[in-house]
Amino acid sequence: MVKHENFKTCDQSGFCRRNRAYADTASSVSSWDSPYRLDSASIAFKDGKLTGTILKSVANSDHAVRLPVTITFLESGTARVTVDEEKRQKGEIELRHDSKAKKERYNEVEDWVIVGGTQVSKGAAVSKGEAGSTKVVYGPGSKFEAVITHAPFGIEFRRDGEVQIKLNERGLLNMEHWRAKVDKPAEEKKEGEEAVVEEASKEVTEDESTWWEETFGGNTDSKPRGPESVALDITFPGYEHVVGLAEHAGPLSLRQTRGGDDSYTEPYRFYNADVFEYEMDSPMTLYGSIPFMQAVKKDSVVGVFWMNAAETWVDIVKGKTSANPLSLGIGSQTTTQTHWFSESGLLDVFVFLGPTPHDVMKSYSELTGGSQLPAEFSLGAHQCRWNYVTDEDVKDVDRKMDKHRIPYDVIWLDIEYTDGKKYFTWDPDTFPDPLGMQKQLDEHDRKLVAIIDPHIKNEANYWVVDELKSKDLAVHNKDDNIYEGWCWPGSSYWIDAFGANARKWWATLFQYTKFPSSAPNLWLWNDMNEPSVFNGPETTMPKDNLHSGNWEHRDVHNLNGMTLVNATYEGLLARSKEEEKAGGRRPFVLTRSFFAGSQRMGAMWTGDNQAEWSHLKASIPMVLSMGASGFPFAGADIGGFFGNPSKELLTRWYQAGAFYPFSRAHAHIDTRRREPYLAGEPYTGIITQAQRLRYSLLPSWYTAFYHASESGTPVVKPMYFAFPGDEKAFAIDDQFLLGSTGLLAKPVTEEGATSVDIYLSDKEKYFDYFDYTVYSGPGHVTVQAPLDRIPLIMRAGHIFPRRDRPRRSSGLMKFDPFTLVLVLGDSGDAEGDLYLDDGESFEYQDGAYIHRKFHYDAATQSLSSEDLSTPGKKTKAYLKAMEKVRVEKVVIVNAPVSWKSKTEVELAEEGGSASGKRRVPMSWQEEGSGKANWAIVRDPGVGIGKGWSITFD
Ligand code: NOJ
C-alpha cells in the first residue's frame, strides 16, 4: 500500500489549502468580486498581441498590485494568456534568509517546452466590444473571439459565436503578490487559522501560517520569497467530460474532485514523485506531469495547457449548465468547472478552440512537439527485469527466446550491472564481457538498454563524481553548496541538467570512448529522475534547493526529469565522430519522469505497478490518458512490477502489452523469474502468438507513430477521439483503436473471462481479426475471448499493412514483403496508409521514406496505391534500396459474393509493361455462419514504393 503519510494532501500543501479556501470564500460570499481588473488605459494591441496591466486591489491598501498581462493570438488559432508580477519582474523584492535565489517569477518553462507554433496571427484584430470589454477576433476564418472583460478581469473564448471556455468566471484568479514579512506581536498571530470572512464587510483575513515557512515530514522549506502562488478558474460550459492531465492512475474521463457522488476529495496533483506502491483510481501525483486538458462534448473538443512546472493542483467540479431561458428544451447539459493552482511561476495558459480532437492535438503538438518518430526496433518487444544478473544470463535469455521462437528486440539491464551503482561502469565480476554480450544481441539485430540514473555516487576515485564536482555541475542546496542526498548508491549528488554546461558534459559521457564497453546497439533508460531522493521531502529534493541560474527547485521541479532526458538524448545522437558524420541515429531513451514536451525524446512507462488484475486493468486508461496528453509512446510493466503474476495474468498482460505503444515486460528484483518461455504450455505458446501479432502489425504501429510525430494524434486512440459525435463513448477507456487502421482492441483484464463486450459507436460492420465473425453496431457486441484470444476486431472501411513472416527481431524484417488487409463494408470505400523508412536514421527528413495511401473505390471496385510523399534529396536512393520489397498478398475481408467465381484480377503498375496491365490470381473463400467471406490476391508482385491499382471488376 502506498504510504500516504509520505505525500502531502492539499491541506498539507500551503498554497493548495489557501487556494481551495479562496474558492470556498468566493462561493460562500453572495456577491463575490474578483479583486483583479484590467486597467483600460493600459491596453494596447499590436501584431496579434494585446498587452496591459491587471491591477489587483489589496485589502487595507491604497496601492494596487501591478500585474503585466499579455494575450497572444497565434497563427494556428491558439491563444496564450500570460500574467507576471511587476515587482518581482523588476527584482524589487527582498529575499529572506540571505537566499541567493532568483527574484523573478520563473519564466523559462517555455524554453524547455515550446518548440514551434509561436508565429503570431496577422489576422487577429480588435473589434468593437461591449462597454468595459475588449473583443479580439482571431483564428482560422476569423471564427474565434476572445472577449476580455476589464472589471473584474476575465476572458470568454467563443467559436462561431458560442462560448467554449471562460477564464476567471468564478473569480478565483489569484496571484499571491510579493510582500515583506511583518512580524506580528505573538498574540495576534493567527497560526493555522482558516480564512475568516465577514460577510458584511467582505474582509478576508488570510491564512498566513504557510506564507513564510512550511514543514512536512521533518523537513522545513525556508520559502525565501514568501507566498507566490498563481491560480485561475477555467470553465467549459456545456462540456461534461474532461480528459488528459497525465499522469494519474484513474479513468480517462477525469473525475470530480469537489462535490458530487463519484468525487475524489483531493484535487488532481502534479508534483513528480517516486510513489512507492501507488494506488488505483486516485488523483495522487505520480512520476510525470502534463498539465494539458481537453474538454469533450458532442462534436466539439477544446483544450487548455497550463504551462507551469511548479507543484500544481487541479480541482474539477461538474454541474448543470446555468439555466438559460433561451436554451430551455435543449436538455440538461453539464458544465465542467476547473480550478488550477501552482505554487510559483507565471500564470501562463494556452487555449485551444478545436473543434475536433485532432485540431486540439495538432495545435498542442505544434507548440510542444510531436511524438518522437521512434527507432523502429523500439516498437518491438522489450524484455526487462531487475536484474539480468550476469552477461551470461543475458545471453542465455537471448538464446532461449530464440529456441522458443519468441520474437523480441531489446533486453534490458537494471542498476545491478554497474560496479557498486556507479553509472558508466560495469560490475567486473558479473559483467566481465559486456562487448561480447552486445555482440551476441547484434547478431540478430537486437539491442541492449542499460539504466543510468541522475544520482551520482559520492565516492572517492570515481571519475564521474570527480568531474561533476570539479566542474560544479551538480544541484546546490539553499546555502548554495553542493546538495547531498540518498539514493541507490547511498550518499549521492545530482546532476543539474538545467545548466547548459552540465548537459553538454553529461552528453559526452555516452561517447564510446567514455562509457567503456558500450556498443552502438546500447540505448538508455533514465529512471529516478523526478528526482527520487530517498531521504528528501516527499522522496524528492527540498524546494529551496538551487539550480543553474539560481532558480529554486520549487519553480522547476516538474521539468527536472525532462532536462535529464534532453541531455541523454543529445549524448546518444552521435557517440563517435563517424556517427556524427553520418548524421546520427534516432536515440532511444525511456524515462520515468516527464513534462509536456518529453514526447519529443522517447518513451515513458507507468512506473512501479503490481502483478494484480486491477493494475492490468488500470494500465489501459493510463496509456490512453498519456495519448490524450500528447505523449503516446507509453506502456506499463507487462506482468506487473511488484509481486508474482499467475500464469493467466501474465498471459493476459502480454496480450494487452502487445497493444501498448511501448511494450516492455519488467519485474522487481524480489520476484520469481518469468521470461515467457518459463510459463510452460499453453501459456508460452499463447504469449508467443501475442508477440507475433505485435510484430506482424509493426508496419501499422510505425505508421501510427508517424502520424503522432506529425500531428500529435494518439497512437492508440480512445473512443472519443475516433467518434467525437458519440457521447455514449466518451467515458469508455477499456477499448481503443490502433492509429487509423480501424483495428479495435479490448484486452481482457478480468480473471477467468472468456468473452468481452465491446461497444461499437457506429453502424459500420466489424469483423473478428482472427475468424472474421461479423459484428454490427451501434451498441454492445460480445466477442469471444478464451485465453488464447485477444479481443480484436476490424472496422469496415479501412486498409492496413502487415508483415507476416515470423522473425526473431524487427531489424530482420526490414526487407520483408507486405500484406495489405482490405476490410470492406457492404458498400462504401476503404482507406488506409503506410509510412516506411529505414527505421533508424534521420534521412527521412531528406525524403528517404515511402508514404503510400491505399484506397478502395467501391464504385469502380478497384484498389490503388498512391504516393503521399514529398520527394527530397534522398528519396531516389531510398526507393532504390526498397525496390525489391513487394506486396506479397492482399487479403480482402468481406469480399463481395459477386467475386465468387473470380480467379484473377487485373493489375496495373506504374512504369509496368507496354500495355501496363497484368492478370494476377485471386481466390475467394466462403465462410458462412455469421462469418465474413474473404478473398486473397496472391503475390501481385508490385513494389511497395510503387503506384499501382488492382481492379476486381
Ligand atoms: C525504480 C523503477 O521504477 C523500476 O522500474 C526499477 O526496476 C528500479 N527503480 C530499480 O532501478
Side-chain angles (χ1 to χ4, degrees), residues 6-322:
N6 287 354
F7 299 95
K8 289 183 183 177
T9 59
C10 178
D11 210 40
Q12 291 164 323
S13 177
F15 78 96
C16 188
R17 171 162 137 186
R18 297 197 297 272
N19 279 290
R20 266 195 160 183
Y22 194 87
D24 290 342
T25 304
S27 61
S28 64
V29 173
S30 52
S31 57
W32 169 258
D33 275 336
S34 167
Y36 295 80
R37 72 188 162 83
L38 177 61
D39 176 6
S40 304
S42 70
I43 301 173
F45 186 86
K46 194 166 173 263
D47 300 335
K49 264 190 197 188
L50 185 145
T51 52
T53 306
I54 295 173
L55 302 173
K56 171 187 180 185
S57 52
V58 180
N60 308 323
S61 166
D62 299 337
H63 295 288
V65 177
R66 296 175 63 79
L67 307 167
V69 58
T70 309
I71 307 174
T72 314
F73 298 91
L74 303 173
E75 199 56 55
S76 58
T78 301
R80 176 183 187 179
V81 182
T82 313
V83 187
D84 203 338
E85 179 183 346
E86 197 171 274
K87 259 192 186 304
R88 294 191 201 254
Q89 210 177 37
K90 293 185 171 161
E92 291 171 354
I93 70 166
E94 286 151 35
L95 301 180
R96 300 172 65 241
H97 316 297
D98 295 325
S99 167
K100 302 240 176 12
K102 208 80 158 195
K103 291 180 173 173
E104 291 100 305
R105 286 180 174 273
Y106 184 60
N107 52 18
E108 295 181 1
V109 186
E110 66 180 351
D111 298 348
W112 295 100
V113 172
I114 303 296
V115 289
T118 51
Q119 207 189 332
V120 172
S121 165
K122 289 191 198 77
V126 173
S127 102
K128 217 174 142 30
E130 285 156 31
S133 72
T134 304
K135 181 155 107 183
V136 179
V137 177
Y138 70 106
S142 297
K143 286 183 174 164
F144 300 165
E145 279 170 17
V147 180
I148 304 148
T149 311
H150 301 176
F153 172 71
I155 311 181
E156 259 186 29
F157 289 94
R158 302 177 186 164
R159 191 185 66 224
D160 292 325
E162 199 186 314
V163 182
Q164 309 293 333
I165 297 179
K166 296 183 190 178
L167 308 187
N168 202 32
E169 187 209 15
R170 293 152 71 205
L172 308 186
L173 170 63
N174 187 23
M175 299 264 309
E176 291 183 322
H177 59 280
W178 184 79
R179 63 210 89 190
K181 182 167 193 279
V182 180
D183 283 314
K184 295 183 185 163
E187 66 276 13
E188 275 187 38
K189 266 197 187 161
K190 297 192 169 169
E191 286 273 328
E193 255 180 40
E194 298 294 334
V196 178
V197 183
E198 285 160 36
E199 181 75 21
S201 65
K202 286 217 201 105
E203 196 181 290
V204 180
T205 309
E206 293 184 272
D207 170 14
E208 298 179 18
S209 63
T210 50
W211 278 8
W212 308 108
E213 225 173 59
E214 268 186 80
T215 299
F216 182 76
N219 191 288
T220 299
D221 174 4
S222 62
K223 299 186 71 169
R225 299 181 304 212
E228 51 181 329
S229 76
V230 296
L232 181 66
D233 61 273
I234 303 177
T235 300
F236 303 98
Y239 287 86
E240 183 170 356
H241 295 274
V242 282
V243 302
L245 296 193
E247 181 187 23
H248 293 97
L252 174 72
S253 174
L254 301 168
R255 285 175 55 172
Q256 300 196 71
T257 59
R258 299 201 92 183
D261 296 339
D262 63 341
S263 178
Y264 295 134
T265 51
E266 293 285 301
Y268 282 91
R269 186 181 189 211
F270 288 119
Y271 192 59
N272 296 350
D274 184 354
V275 183
F276 184 74
E277 297 191 339
Y278 66 79
E279 59 190 6
M280 304 292 88
D281 198 7
S282 162
M284 245 181 113
T285 195
L286 285 175
Y287 312 93
S289 297
I290 305 184
F292 168 55
M293 173 187 269
Q294 295 174 59
V296 184
K297 71 174 183 183
K298 189 171 162 53
D299 295 322
S300 177
V301 172
V302 295
V304 292
F305 170 42
W306 177 265
M307 196 170 70
N308 188 303
E311 178 183 346
T312 296
W313 302 72
V314 186
D315 262 323
I316 299 175
V317 181
K318 295 182 187 181
K320 289 273 168 277
T321 301
S322 51

Side-chain angles (χ1 to χ4, degrees), residues 813-927:
M813 298 168 76
K814 273 212 159 104
F815 300 104
D816 278 357
F818 287 88
T819 294
L820 297 180
V821 183
L822 162 59
V823 188
L824 294 181
D826 292 339
S827 62
D829 292 2
E831 213 163 86
D833 68 333
L834 166 73
Y835 173 84
L836 184 68
D837 60 23
D838 68 14
E840 56 182 339
S841 78
F842 289 94
E843 294 192 355
Y844 67 92
Q845 292 170 349
D846 291 321
Y849 67 91
I850 288 170
H851 191 193
R852 309 298 308 184
K853 172 173 157 183
F854 306 115
H855 181 224
Y856 176 79
D857 184 77
T860 57
Q861 298 203 4
S862 64
L863 170 69
S864 61
S865 167
E866 297 153 34
D867 194 5
L868 285 180
S869 68
T870 311
K873 63 176 192 272
K874 296 205 166 144
T875 308
K876 246 187 161 168
Y878 181 68
L879 287 176
K880 179 98 191 98
M882 297 302 285
E883 201 175 39
K884 297 218 168 67
V885 178
R886 56 187 218 286
V887 177
E888 71 172 343
K889 56 182 186 258
V890 180
V891 178
I892 304 104
V893 180
N894 198 27
V897 181
S898 58
W899 298 3
K900 191 169 182 171
S901 52
K902 248 182 221 315
T903 55
E904 282 183 339
V905 290
E906 188 172 79
L907 183 131
E909 193 176 3
E910 167 190 284
S913 67
S915 71
K917 295 194 173 154
R918 309 188 255 125
R919 310 287 298 173
V920 289
M922 182 185 92
S923 59
W924 188 89
Q925 202 64 41
E926 182 151 359
E927 279 292 338

Side-chain angles (χ1 to χ4, degrees), residues 60 83 182 292 319 342 370 413 445 466 512 518 527 664 735 767 908:
N60 308 323
V83 187
V182 180
F292 168 55
S342 296
L413 290 181
D445 220 337
D466 292 343
Y512 300 120
S518 60
D527 186 18
R664 184 186 75 151
Q735 60 179 62
F767 308 95

Side-chain angles (χ1 to χ4, degrees), residues 371-372 374 378-379 588 602-605 631-635 661-663 705 715:
S371 158
Q372 179 196 27
S378 61
L379 304 188
F588 173 76
M604 64 71 70
W605 93 108
F631 194 166
F633 199 5
F662 172 62
S663 186
F705 267 97
V715 169

Side-chain angles (χ1 to χ4, degrees), residues 274 287 384-387 414-416 423 451 453 488 525 527-528 592 605 607-608 637 641 664 666-669:
D274 184 354
Y287 312 93
C384 185
R385 80 169 274 116
W386 179 13
N387 219 86
D414 210 320
I415 49 178
E416 312 299 330
Y423 304 112
I451 198 167
D453 292 349
W488 299 125
W525 175 13
D527 186 18
M528 314 295 276
R592 192 170 71 175
W605 93 108
D608 299 346
D637 283 349
F641 181 66
R664 184 186 75 151
H666 185 37
H668 186 270
I669 196 166

